[in-house]
Amino acid sequence: MQASSGMLTKFESKSSRAKGIAFHPKRPWILVSLHSSTIQLWDYRMGTLIDRFEEHDGPVRGIDFHKTQPLFVSGGDDYKIKVWSYQTRRCLFTLNGHLDYVRTVFFHHELPWIISSSDDQTIRIWNWQNRSLICTMTGHNHYVMCAQFHPKDDLVVSASLDQSVRVWDISGLRKKHSAPTSMSFEDQVARSNAQQTDMFGNTDAMVKFVLEGHDRGVNWVAFHPTAPHIVSAGDDRLVKLWRFSETKAWEVDTCRGHFQNASGCLFHPHQDLILSCGEDKTIRVWDSQKRTAVQSFKRENDRFWVIAAHPEINLFAAGHDNGVMVFKLERERPASTVHQNTLFFITKEKHVRSYDFQKNAESPTLLSLKRLGSAWVPPRTLSYNPAERSVLVTSPAEGGSYELINLPRDGSGALDATDSKRGQGNSAIFVARNRFAVLNTTTQTVDIKDLSNNTARSFKPPVGTTDIYFGGTGNLLIITPTAVHLYDIQQKKSIAELAVNGVKYVVWSNDGLHAALLSKHNVTIVTKALEQVSTLHETIRIKSATWDDAGVLLYSTLNHIKYTLMNGDNGIVRTLDQTVYLVKVKGRNVYCLDRSAKPKVLHIDPTEYRFKLSLVKRNYEEMLHIIRTSSLVGQSIISYLQKKGYPEIALQFVQDPSTRFELAIECGNLDVAVEMAKELDRPKLWTRLGTEALAHGNHQFVEMAYQKLKQFDKLSFLYLSTGDHSKLARMAKIAEHRGDFTARFQNALYLNEVEDRIQMFKEVDLYPLAYMTAKAHGLEDECQSILEATGVTEDQLTLPKFGELLPTPKPIVPTFKANWPTKAASQSFFEKALAGQLEGLSLEDEPAATNGAEDGALAEEDATVKRNGALEVDDDEDAAGWDMGDDIVPEADNDFVNVESTDAGGAASSEADLWARNSPIAADHVAAGSFESAMNLLNRQVGAVNFAPLKPRFMEIYSATKTYLPASAGLPPLVNYVRRTLDETDPRKVLPIIPRDLENLASNDLQQGYDSMRSNRLEDGARIFRGILHAILANAVSSESEVAEAKKLITSASEYTVAMSIELARRALGTPDVVNGNPDLLKRSLELSAYFTIPKIEVPHRQLALLNAMNLAFRSRNLSSALSFANRILANGGAARILESAKKMKAQCERNPHDAVEIEYDQFAEFDICAASHTPIYSGTSYEECAFDGSKYHSKYKGTVCVVCQVCEVGKHGSGLRLFA
Amino acid sequence: MDPYSAEGELINIHNFFHQGQYQEVIDFDITSLSPENEVPARVLIQRARIALGQAEDVLADVQDETSEPEFAAVAALAQLALGQTEDAVQAIEELAQTAGDNQTVQVLGGIVLQAADKSDEALALLSKHSGSLDAITLITQIHLQQNRTDLAVKEVTAARRWAQDSLLVNLAESWVGLRVGGEKYQQAFYVFEELAQAPATSSIVTLVSQAVCELHLGRVEEAQSALEQAMQKQPDYADAIAEPSGPNNHYRQGCYRAY
């Protein structure tokens, strides 16, 4: 069909001539009555025929749905009015009375009435509840073509071929038929007297107005839904607008345009529009205020007979010679575009507004587009250019036009667009900062224009191009009905093509790497190079889509929000009660525009797709988090996991034992399988478990399964093969008890119990065999006794030759003692985490870890010696430290291309030099390459003397503040300086960026440090915490409050460093054997373990230190100390397992709270630990501090280099570290 | 007509060169060019080869043509690239005397002199140009290297007036913008992003430039991804390109470590 601008066909049916149409008020259904006597019920959304009703004889012209009941009514040329139930799909009853064709039938909006008009020149009102005729309205003197109730008042309007339109008052009828509660006899008399009767004495319905003006018969008439207006359409090809008041009615205006009989007309339910249709094969839309034609739509061959409007939503239907069409007058999709955190959209009033996702706030009108296009045609698209803060709006009016408008800087008030640039085109989008592309579909050209609307270049797109979209920088996505092309603007050629049908919209992911191509029923995800990633089909129309930050596409259909992952997995996120257009998703919020162009926020539960996404990405930590924090259950997720090959994860969700068993078997988790088998205790399960366990080589579970199944033979053989003789012997006993001789024989064989075998043979009277056995084993006495018992002599027997005796079967490995090396259980990180095994440094692995550390003690000791050595050297070489620093500078400069030294001639100083001038912060001087002044500053501020450890940090800062921009080929790149003052251009205020700022340190390094504490990697931990100290020493913050944070971080890192070095010193004392053998070492070891609990580290970590100290003390029978540690653990609270062992310990120690080894640790005294000597500094005694990290030292260490930060001089007081200018 | 203008014959090869798409320059079909444009095109090709580290081959190729000032200048540039700075400077100084009006001599001479730390001489030679954008961008760059942002701004603003939307003006303006900072960072970013993200104009040079802008804008992760794109793009050229953009590798490590 030739789409006249704006009108959108949503559904078309093919049938014989359609004479009547009715929309269902709620469901997407439409009833169509046909000239061929059939009534069809269609789902216009799905495009399916739901039902057919064929009881009328001849054409059916009138049809209507009941507003609330599952009923509809029809009237036809068989003079009959039929009332149907669409639930039971039957005609309920027929109303007879009309004497000619029935033209229209309508339900009353609240009373149980039906109004019908007929060629018998009457209008009749029926009560469908008692199935009676309650009123016959006469007056027309030709066929009555149409009669309708007023939507609120007690009025009826009718149209007739007698060229008149009549308005009837039916209030009398309502009074008569409403319950006679308050009406006395007198009232009734008064009423009947007061009202004049018509010529037939009928007072129920009276003609109120007769509207004359049409020159021919009138085919249709309709009330305005709210205003006192009437519209009528007649064979004089006119559509007339009438108006009425209480007392009179008059013609307002005429809409001329139809060039054949006008057959139907109605008022638009929400807008000031009139729609009409006619036998001239057109549907016309009129402005009801100005009575001018707004648009028209023509069909080639089909005359239109009827038109209807949906009561709620913006849908219309028209019936013609070959079926019906359901259509919209205009697109309801509001034009919108998203830039970062802002949505720009155009309201129904054609105002451009923005909406801030972060503030959840809608802006006032930025711009009014009233003048753009025709009043009734909303703009189609909006493209935003952040560089110029301008918008490009396209409108389908006038064959397509675009307008380029700058948004006012301080957008406020409904400003009319000034200095806009416009032109003809169907699509227009920004393709670059200063370029936009315009597609003209009629001429099939794409023009690339600059911001002054001049065409910079122009090219012919692939044949049949319908739309263009942004295709990544410098590219366009060109849409044709069957394919999408990626078109390079510069080279003017298509660089990729993908065959996708009917793409309507393109939605780019936030990172610009993927795009979703939306068709009516398909979503195709492609990469930016137009390679297809996945595609999916929806039976319901797809309306819009948006990407979340993780690369999940959320799309909306008419009634759902759904998601799809890159791999094509999809599902429903939530249902919608009205159609919305998604624009952005952030966390649990989906932002969208509804059909009235209002921004809305919908809440969704993203758990399911996030879970699936993390599954796809194997991000188990994320999954774990989701499982722990959300209620993610349900059969669907389990079967999804199972289907995707993750039974071990599915296992975590399932409660049902039999499902758990199946999953456990599938993923080889025998422990769970056994647990479940025990719970269910069914032979079938045990059999499967046995087989599975055997395959795993887990003979203990095999044994259990066989025992449960009472499979004695198998059990015996299992014991034989695992070499478990004692159990085999027991099996023999059991066999004896059971009297199962075969089994007994087997077991005796396995055990090589000759006597038992003989005994058994005797018992079953198999004396020959018993004799043979005895003979073969050389048991002559036994032979004799058998002979005696049987009364046979040796001579009577002929014996075969004996072979070698069977040795006792013996497995090579006594497997029963331990399991076979079983197949490595596929315990993923995930399972472990779920099983709660990730909390490191548990009691069990503590000794192991300690041993490991002590093995390496020697190396550690070396390191300590070295460090001490270094310390001494540093003592002597205070000045040398400075020399070292000086060395760095030229070296650093050599590393880089010699740019700074090009300061020849008219050169000025570089920005880096400015930094040093602009800032009193050491880090800024480092960034400027002025290491010497930086070191001077640090020396003054915190008494820093030894700069060797700071070298990596200095280099880090120095190199991170420069970028090298490749400029002209052949010349060295341009050096630029990265600023932390991003918006600053005043050279006197610019400051460099300092890598690893406070936040970064707190969220990365600090956590790593904690991790190493938890997982008992103390060497790493000490290194990390020192690194934090060094990073803060040369750093800059942005506010005073951050200075306080930095101080906190320094203190914390310092405490950890001290704590860890105490424990490392303890481990360096020697292996436990060595230490236990030497009383001095033992004493020191116990002391150090006690001191380890003193630094102010995080409580969970202190618990570990306390646990360590408690266990050590207990092992050395220092029960009093152990008790005090246990008490402290209990006071701290926390992890149940630690508390449990502390409780036990406490109970044990309380029996005899004495220390076996005297140590220098007073649990009741207040003291700090000297960081250098690891001995207590009791409160009250004098001490020295490191001016930077605050670690404490005995006075004698004054002047040495702080062992914690390894940079500053102990006891030297400076002006304090400056981090904030 | 200016062969470098939007409709000129050399627009594409010229743009390729300045976008750092050296291989595209070399592969450019120059047989269909009109005769007067052939020499500039060949000069561009030789420069691209030098940029890709084929200076020795270039030197051998142009040996016979040094009578032409253009190719003599190319030879000097090749010598510079090979580290024979003194020879190169000497050759250029001679050329400046004899053929100082030749555009190619100005531009290549400017590069050689500047590379040899003779900024004043370079500026003197370049200032003889008559409306050459190549020369203007070089002048801009030299000013920037001298930290004379003020002069660079002046130069670009003047060029902007008559060469509205040329690639070179955009580039030079962005270079200056990265020095000035503030809002200009974002504008420079738009320019480089536009070049780097369009497959037709994307190159290591433009990608690295984009990354640099992102760094200045404090968007480290985005910068990282741009650099990764650059690494992916032509790993085999990494060495060749390493000369002009070498320190970037260094920077890259620095920034990886830093964050």
Side-chain angles (χ1 to χ4, degrees):
Chain A
M1 60 172 275
Q2 73 285 38
S4 118
S5 60
M7 194 180 282
L8 303 161
T9 307
K10 292 284 160 184
F11 165 74
E12 273 198 87
S13 74
K14 276 256 176 249
S15 64
S16 60
R17 184 178 307 165
K19 298 296 286 184
I21 313 172
F23 275 106
H24 192 279
K26 293 279 175 288
R27 301 187 198 198
W29 289 354
I30 188 170
L31 274 170
V32 183
S33 63
L34 301 176
H35 201 259
S36 67
S37 85
T38 304
I39 299 167
Q40 297 176 324
L41 177 59
W42 291 90
D43 183 320
Y44 55 80
R45 198 177 275 179
M46 307 287 283
T48 50
L49 180 62
I50 298 171
D51 222 331
R52 295 152 65 96
F53 305 90
E54 298 179 311
E55 272 183 41
H56 276 290
D57 191 9
V60 188
R61 299 178 190 273
I63 192 94
D64 194 23
F65 268 115
H66 194 274
K67 301 264 175 308
T68 48
Q69 305 284 323
L71 297 178
F72 68 89
V73 60
S74 64
D77 286 4
D78 53 3
Y79 313 170
K80 285 173 182 158
I81 296 169
K82 286 177 176 284
V83 176
W84 312 70
S85 159
Y86 56 71
Q87 276 177 345
T88 58
R89 306 162 72 184
R90 286 191 308 114
C91 173
L92 298 175
F93 53 89
T94 305
L95 301 168
N96 293 304
H98 276 298
L99 305 168
D100 208 334
Y101 296 174
V102 179
R103 292 282 172 177
T104 61
V105 283
F106 290 102
F107 279 107
H108 193 272
H109 54 277
E110 54 181 26
L111 296 169
W113 292 354
I114 292 167
I115 189 169
S116 60
S117 62
S118 164
D119 285 3
D120 65 7
Q121 308 186 5
T122 64
I123 302 156
R124 292 176 196 234
I125 298 177
W126 315 75
N127 183 323
W128 57 262
Q129 276 179 344
N130 54 24
R131 305 176 188 184
S132 62
L133 174 66
I134 56 173
C135 182
T136 306
M137 294 146 76
T138 54
H140 280 296
N141 45 34
H142 206 310
Y143 302 165
V144 185
M145 299 301 286
C146 175
Q148 300 207 45
F149 288 116
H150 189 278
K152 291 189 186 61
D153 301 335
D154 289 328
L155 294 173
V156 164
V157 68
S158 61
S160 163
L161 292 191
D162 65 6
Q163 307 181 8
S164 74
V165 169
R166 286 173 190 236
V167 180
W168 311 73
D169 184 342
I170 54 163
S171 51
L173 191 66
R174 178 192 279 266
K175 284 192 187 121
K176 184 169 154 192
H177 286 269
S178 53
T181 44
S182 63
M183 201 181 282
S184 63
F185 178 73
E186 286 82 351
D187 285 341
Q188 286 187 15
V189 172
R191 197 192 72 189
S192 54
N193 288 343
Q195 290 186 327
Q196 44 180 168
T197 55
D198 70 3
M199 57 189 287
F200 299 106
N202 192 342
T203 59
D204 295 338
M206 293 179 315
V207 178
K208 197 166 166 141
F209 311 116
V210 179
L211 303 171
E212 295 186 314
H214 281 288
D215 296 338
R216 298 276 190 88
V218 190
N219 287 320
W220 198 268
V221 69
F223 280 114
H224 191 280
T226 49
H229 298 308
I230 291 169
V231 65
S232 60
D235 286 345
D236 54 1
R237 306 168 185 184
L238 300 180
V239 174
K240 281 189 184 286
L241 182 63
W242 315 80
R243 200 175 165 147
F244 60 93
S245 67
E246 264 313 299
T247 50
K248 56 177 183 159
W250 63 98
E251 183 180 331
V252 177
D253 211 341
T254 304
C255 303
R256 293 160 204 280
H258 283 291
F259 50 86
Q260 262 299 335
N261 299 347
S263 49
C265 60
L266 53 84
F267 286 103
H268 191 290
H270 316 295
Q271 290 176 300
D272 288 335
L273 292 174
I274 294 169
L275 280 81
S276 65
C277 66
E279 293 175 42
D280 59 357
K281 301 161 191 159
T282 60
I283 295 172
R284 289 168 194 262
V285 183
W286 317 83
D287 185 321
S288 63
Q289 302 287 314
K290 301 181 196 142
R291 269 78 69 182
T292 50
V294 174
Q295 51 177 312
S296 77
F297 168 82
K298 190 166 190 308
R299 260 186 106 82
E300 279 308 301
N301 302 311
D302 306 319
R303 290 167 295 173
F304 283 106
W305 296 105
V306 63
I307 187 163
H310 192 285
E312 311 283 334
I313 58 181
N314 175 24
L315 274 183
F316 300 91
H320 53 74
D321 280 343
N322 279 305
V324 272
M325 47 184 284
V326 176
F327 61 95
K328 274 184 187 187
L329 276 190
E330 57 178 38
R331 291 158 49 88
E332 290 174 286
R333 173 186 300 265
S336 72
T337 183
V338 174
H339 174 70
Q340 285 167 358
N341 272 317
T342 315
L343 164 74
F344 293 89
F345 63 99
I346 301 177
T347 64
K348 285 283 170 215
E349 295 77 44
K350 297 223 257 183
H351 290 168
V352 178
R353 292 192 178 195
S354 69
Y355 176 84
D356 190 312
F357 295 124
Q358 273 170 336
K359 297 186 195 129
N360 262 353
E362 196 177 326
S363 77
T365 300
L366 301 173
L367 193 70
S368 170
L369 297 173
K370 273 271 186 273
R371 294 186 306 133
L372 176 72
S374 110
W376 298 109
V377 185
R380 196 171 84 90
T381 62
L382 178 68
S383 181
Y384 176 70
N385 181 343
E388 301 289 333
R389 202 175 153 76
S390 51
V391 289
L392 195 56
V393 181
T394 61
S395 166
E398 300 148 24
S401 60
Y402 69 88
E403 190 149 9
L404 171 70
I405 318 154
N406 283 320
L407 289 182
R409 285 275 158 191
D410 47 351
S412 56
L415 297 170
D416 259 339
T418 49
D419 75 320
S420 69
K421 308 200 169 54
R422 58 180 72 203
Q424 289 289 308
N426 301 81
S427 303
I429 47 157
F430 282 108
V431 290
R433 178 179 50 93
N434 53 3
R435 292 279 187 272
F436 62 94
V438 178
L439 167 73
N440 196 325
T441 47
T442 43
T443 58
Q444 283 288 310
T445 48
V446 174
D447 293 333
I448 306 295
K449 297 187 175 240
D450 66 12
L451 294 181
S452 30
N453 208 13
N454 299 321
T455 305
R457 50 176 62 210
S458 177
F459 56 84
K460 290 269 170 202
V463 183
T465 298
T466 55
D467 209 349
I468 52 174
Y469 280 94
F470 182 65
T473 322
N475 289 334
L476 279 179
L477 278 176
I478 294 187
I479 314 291
T480 69
T482 54
V484 176
H485 298 261
L486 184 62
Y487 197 92
D488 187 312
I489 298 170
Q490 188 122 38
Q491 299 175 15
K492 296 191 185 181
K493 66 173 190 202
S494 173
I495 47 181
E497 181 184 344
L498 185 68
V500 199
N501 278 327
V503 173
K504 297 175 75 180
Y505 303 101
V506 175
V507 184
W508 283 91
S509 68
N510 301 343
D511 56 8
L513 297 179
H514 293 92
L517 311 177
L518 309 186
S519 320
K520 231 182 228 180
H521 295 288
N522 284 301
V523 177
T524 307
I525 296 182
V526 295
T527 65
K528 65 172 181 176
L530 204 62
E531 290 150 354
Q532 180 170 325
V533 177
S534 67
T535 183
L536 66 89
H537 180 85
E538 275 291 334
T539 46
I540 310 280
R541 258 168 217 257
I542 296 160
K543 302 307 284 186
S544 65
T546 183
W547 294 82
D548 95 336
D549 288 323
V552 177
L553 183 77
L554 270 85
Y555 59 96
S556 70
T557 65
L558 280 173
N559 45 16
H560 283 120
I561 295 180
K562 299 185 158 193
Y563 68 86
T564 174
L565 308 183
M566 291 283 185
N567 64 5
D569 285 342
N570 54 38
I572 295 174
V573 178
R574 61 167 282 170
T575 53
L576 293 170
D577 37 16
Q578 56 165 314
T579 305
V580 294
Y581 304 93
L582 309 184
V583 291
K584 172 126 180 153
V585 54
K586 221 170 65 181
R588 306 177 83 84
N589 289 342
V590 170
Y591 299 88
C592 53
L593 287 167
D594 66 10
R595 284 190 152 161
S596 55
K598 294 264 183 313
K600 287 177 68 173
V601 185
L602 299 175
H603 298 286
I604 54 161
D605 183 1
T607 315
E608 181 179 322
Y609 69 76
R610 284 211 187 135
F611 183 78
K612 289 186 180 174
L613 183 70
S614 39
L615 189 68
V616 172
K617 291 189 172 166
R618 301 189 178 275
N619 184 350
Y620 295 120
E621 283 179 50
E622 168 86 20
M623 287 166 66
L624 188 62
H625 178 75
I626 292 171
I627 293 169
R628 284 200 175 144
T629 53
S630 328
S631 51
L632 182 79
V633 280
Q635 212 51 47
S636 74
I637 203 87
I638 292 162
S639 58
Y640 178 85
L641 286 166
Q642 217 170 345
K643 196 175 78 200
K644 292 281 165 184
Y646 300 99
E648 73 273 16
I649 297 169
L651 192 58
Q652 313 298 334
F653 296 102
V654 191
Q655 300 297 325
D656 172 48
S658 55
T659 319
R660 260 179 89 82
F661 179 81
E662 295 297 328
L663 287 170
I665 290 286
E666 198 175 321
C667 65
N669 190 337
L670 289 182
D671 293 323
V672 175
V674 167
E675 215 173 285
M676 290 307 117
K678 277 181 187 160
E679 197 175 324
L680 292 166
D681 203 18
R682 273 187 232 130
K684 221 169 157 188
L685 299 188
W686 285 113
T687 318
R688 286 192 52 196
L689 177 66
T691 325
E692 188 67 22
L694 197 59
H696 278 259
N698 191 328
H699 66 76
Q700 277 143 4
F701 289 158
V702 178
E703 178 186 344
M704 188 188 297
Y706 290 166
Q707 282 171 348
K708 283 279 176 193
L709 292 168
K710 301 203 184 338
Q711 291 178 325
F712 297 101
D713 293 350
K714 287 188 170 179
L715 208 47
S716 298
F717 192 72
L718 179 74
Y719 291 140
L720 175 71
S721 54
T722 56
D724 194 344
H725 272 271
S726 58
K727 285 203 176 152
L728 205 48
R730 208 172 307 146
M731 286 311 291
K733 284 255 167 56
I734 292 170
E736 204 176 323
H737 280 300
R738 288 190 302 142
D740 182 337
F741 289 102
T742 325
R744 203 171 143 194
F745 179 71
Q746 290 276 6
N747 282 315
L749 260 184
Y750 293 160
L751 288 163
N752 214 2
E753 295 266 2
V754 183
E755 285 86 353
D756 198 33
R757 254 150 65 202
I758 297 167
Q759 183 61 33
M760 195 198 77
F761 283 138
K762 286 201 280 194
E763 278 172 35
V764 291
D765 290 340
L766 288 172
Y767 287 101
L769 281 175
Y771 178 79
M772 285 294 286
T773 312
K775 191 78 185 169
H777 287 83
L779 301 171
E780 288 302 329
D781 294 352
E782 192 63 46
C783 292
Q784 281 310 315
S785 70
I786 294 170
L787 287 177
E788 275 163 30
T790 50
V792 196
T793 59
E794 203 160 348
D795 324 333
Q796 291 168 294
L797 301 170
T798 40
L799 291 174
K801 222 171 147 236
F802 292 117
E804 243 178 76
L805 286 178
L806 274 177
T808 314
K810 217 174 146 189
I812 297 162
V813 185
T815 326
F816 71 95
K817 287 180 186 157
N819 239 330
W820 276 310
T822 45
K823 193 172 108 190
S826 61
Q827 241 199 356
S828 59
F829 158 83
F830 190 74
E831 286 173 275
K832 279 189 225 154
L834 280 174
Q837 294 170 2
L838 275 193
E839 285 304 313
L841 208 73
S842 64
L843 258 182
E844 289 78 36
D845 44 44
E846 161 83 340
T850 316
N851 286 342
E854 277 162 8
D855 286 344
L858 213 63
E860 179 64 18
E861 204 159 62
D862 278 355
T864 330
V865 168
K866 264 189 216 145
R867 201 185 309 142
N868 289 341
L871 200 134
E872 282 156 28
V873 172
D874 286 341
D875 282 349
D876 303 336
E877 294 186 338
D878 249 16
W882 289 97
D883 290 345
M884 186 285 311
D886 287 346
D887 285 344
I888 299 174
V889 184
E891 180 189 313
D893 273 355
N894 291 342
D895 265 2
F896 303 107
V897 184
N898 219 345
V899 204
E900 276 110 333
S901 57
T902 53
D903 296 0
S909 55
S910 81
E911 186 174 325
D913 297 340
L914 297 174
W915 290 342
R917 272 182 236 160
N918 293 347
S919 171
I921 299 172
D924 292 339
H925 285 247
V926 174
S930 174
F931 290 2
E932 185 165 349
S933 63
M935 288 188 286
N936 269 321
L937 280 173
L938 286 179
N939 183 261
R940 275 205 301 277
Q941 288 174 359
V942 291
V945 288
N946 175 29
F947 291 97
L950 282 182
K951 183 173 169 181
R953 175 62 179 163
F954 276 25
M955 294 311 294
E956 175 180 71
I957 294 176
Y958 183 71
S959 55
T961 49
K962 287 167 192 58
T963 61
Y964 296 84
L965 179 71
S968 304
L971 283 180
L974 282 167
V975 181
N976 285 307
Y977 301 91
V978 191
R979 300 169 184 167
R980 68 170 178 272
T981 45
L982 276 187
D983 302 326
E984 196 57 69
T985 52
D986 182 348
R988 278 163 304 178
K989 289 185 183 158
V990 295
L991 289 171
I993 189 145
I994 303 298
R996 282 208 288 160
D997 59 8
L998 206 58
E999 193 193 326
N1000 192 300
L1001 287 172
S1003 57
N1004 292 333
D1005 297 51
L1006 187 63
Q1007 301 309 322
Q1008 279 175 26
Y1010 287 165
D1011 282 350
S1012 53
M1013 177 72 195
R1014 261 204 305 279
S1015 53
N1016 199 9
R1017 289 176 286 112
L1018 297 187
E1019 286 93 343
D1020 291 351
R1023 193 173 40 71
I1024 290 166
F1025 282 113
R1026 272 203 189 94
I1028 294 177
L1029 288 174
H1030 295 157
I1032 302 179
L1033 193 51
N1035 216 323
V1037 301
S1038 55
S1039 68
E1040 281 298 339
S1041 64
E1042 280 192 37
V1043 172
E1045 261 174 60
K1047 294 251 158 73
K1048 243 194 260 168
L1049 190 54
I1050 292 173
T1051 316
S1052 166
S1054 163
E1055 295 281 357
Y1056 270 93
T1057 314
V1058 172
M1060 287 176 168
S1061 57
I1062 292 172
E1063 175 64 8
L1064 286 171
R1066 185 186 70 76
R1067 291 180 192 173
L1069 291 173
T1071 60
D1073 297 343
V1074 175
V1075 171
N1076 290 337
N1078 181 330
D1080 288 346
L1081 284 182
L1082 181 61
K1083 173 169 177 282
R1084 183 65 180 149
S1085 168
L1086 289 171
E1087 281 171 6
L1088 286 173
S1089 75
Y1091 300 157
F1092 184 31
T1093 68
I1094 299 299
K1096 292 165 196 66
I1097 58 180
E1098 296 290 315
V1099 171
H1101 301 157
R1102 189 114 45 94
Q1103 293 290 69
L1104 297 174
L1106 285 165
L1107 196 62
N1108 183 35
M1110 178 179 84
N1111 288 337
L1112 275 177
F1114 181 72
R1115 254 176 255 153
S1116 310
R1117 310 301 301 162
N1118 264 17
L1119 299 184
S1120 165
S1121 306
L1123 179 59
S1124 83
F1125 294 131
N1127 280 332
R1128 280 173 67 192
I1129 291 175
L1130 291 172
N1132 284 338
R1137 198 160 54 181
I1138 296 182
L1139 292 185
E1140 195 55 39
S1141 54
K1143 267 184 211 148
K1144 273 188 213 148
M1145 185 68 74
K1146 184 177 174 184
Q1148 282 200 346
C1149 296
E1150 272 171 342
R1151 282 180 226 143
N1152 181 18
H1154 290 291
D1155 279 359
V1157 183
E1158 192 70 25
I1159 60 167
E1160 189 187 340
Y1161 167 69
D1162 183 347
Q1163 47 175 305
F1164 303 109
E1166 286 251 336
F1167 62 91
D1168 291 308
I1169 302 294
C1170 167
S1173 62
H1174 298 153
T1175 50
I1177 308 171
Y1178 291 100
S1179 62
T1181 51
S1182 67
Y1183 62 91
E1184 294 294 340
E1185 262 185 330
C1186 169
F1188 169 55
D1189 58 45
S1191 55
K1192 299 194 169 57
Y1193 294 88
H1194 286 300
S1195 310
K1196 63 176 173 181
Y1197 289 99
K1198 184 176 165 72
T1200 62
V1201 173
C1202 169
V1203 296
V1204 175
C1205 66
Q1206 297 175 345
V1207 174
C1208 302
E1209 186 179 319
V1210 174
K1212 182 154 178 177
H1213 296 286
S1215 55
L1217 185 63
R1218 268 197 93 165
L1219 295 173
F1220 177 57
Chain B
M1 189 170 84
D2 181 2
Y4 301 119
S5 74
E7 300 306 319
E9 281 185 331
L10 294 181
I11 172 78
N12 279 339
I13 185 170
H14 190 242
N15 280 354
F16 281 145
F17 181 78
H18 287 284
Q19 280 152 195
Q21 295 165 286
Y22 301 123
Q23 195 56 49
E24 281 84 344
V25 174
I26 294 168
D27 297 342
F28 195 84
D29 178 19
I30 59 167
T31 51
S32 58
L33 292 179
S34 47
E36 72 270 19
N37 285 336
E38 200 193 312
V39 171
R42 282 182 54 205
V43 168
L44 283 173
I45 290 175
Q46 301 298 10
R47 286 178 69 187
R49 291 178 64 194
I50 294 172
L52 287 178
Q54 305 164 3
E56 269 178 64
D57 304 345
V58 171
L59 199 53
D61 281 1
V62 299
Q63 211 65 22
D64 304 334
E65 294 180 278
T66 44
S67 53
E68 300 284 330
E70 281 90 351
F71 293 105
V74 169
L77 186 67
Q79 284 176 322
L80 175 77
L82 291 171
Q84 306 160 6
T85 315
E86 281 173 30
D87 295 347
V89 170
Q90 199 184 340
I92 288 297
E93 278 169 352
E94 281 167 22
L95 277 170
Q97 298 297 324
T98 55
D101 295 338
N102 185 306
Q103 224 187 71
T104 307
V105 171
Q106 289 164 4
V107 172
L108 300 192
I111 292 174
V112 171
L113 291 171
Q114 170 67 13
D117 271 353
K118 294 176 186 291
S119 301
D120 291 342
E121 287 90 329
L123 286 174
L125 178 58
L126 283 166
S127 61
K128 293 181 191 169
H129 82 87
S130 49
S132 156
L133 284 175
D134 286 73
I136 289 174
T137 47
L138 263 182
I139 293 173
T140 310
Q141 185 175 357
I142 293 171
H143 284 323
L144 288 177
Q145 290 194 336
Q146 292 182 310
N147 293 315
R148 291 302 301 268
T149 313
D150 48 338
L151 297 179
V153 169
K154 236 182 254 170
E155 196 70 39
V156 173
T157 326
R160 168 64 80 195
R161 249 175 255 138
W162 57 272
Q164 251 294 312
D165 199 37
S166 142
L167 171 72
L168 279 174
V169 177
N170 276 340
L171 286 177
E173 197 174 44
S174 308
W175 299 342
V176 177
L178 279 178
R179 272 295 164 81
V180 176
E183 279 185 10
K184 304 278 185 197
Y185 283 147
Q186 185 68 31
Q187 288 176 10
F189 167 74
Y190 282 132
V191 170
F192 288 127
E193 189 213 25
E194 198 174 316
L195 293 172
Q197 296 308 319
T201 56
S202 181
S203 71
I204 294 187
V205 173
T206 49
L207 277 166
V208 167
S209 304
Q210 184 199 338
V212 166
C213 294
E214 312 238 41
L215 281 171
H216 283 277
L217 286 163
R219 305 199 290 240
V220 180
E221 277 169 36
E222 289 87 340
Q224 205 158 309
S225 88
L227 286 171
E228 274 158 16
Q229 277 182 42
M231 289 296 127
Q232 271 172 22
K233 194 160 187 67
Q234 292 168 319
D236 48 328
Y237 286 172
D239 287 339
I241 301 290
E243 206 272 311
S245 58
N248 282 296
N249 294 331
H250 181 89
Y251 178 75
R252 211 162 87 95
Q253 288 158 9
C255 98
Y256 276 174
R257 199 174 61 227
Y259 289 87

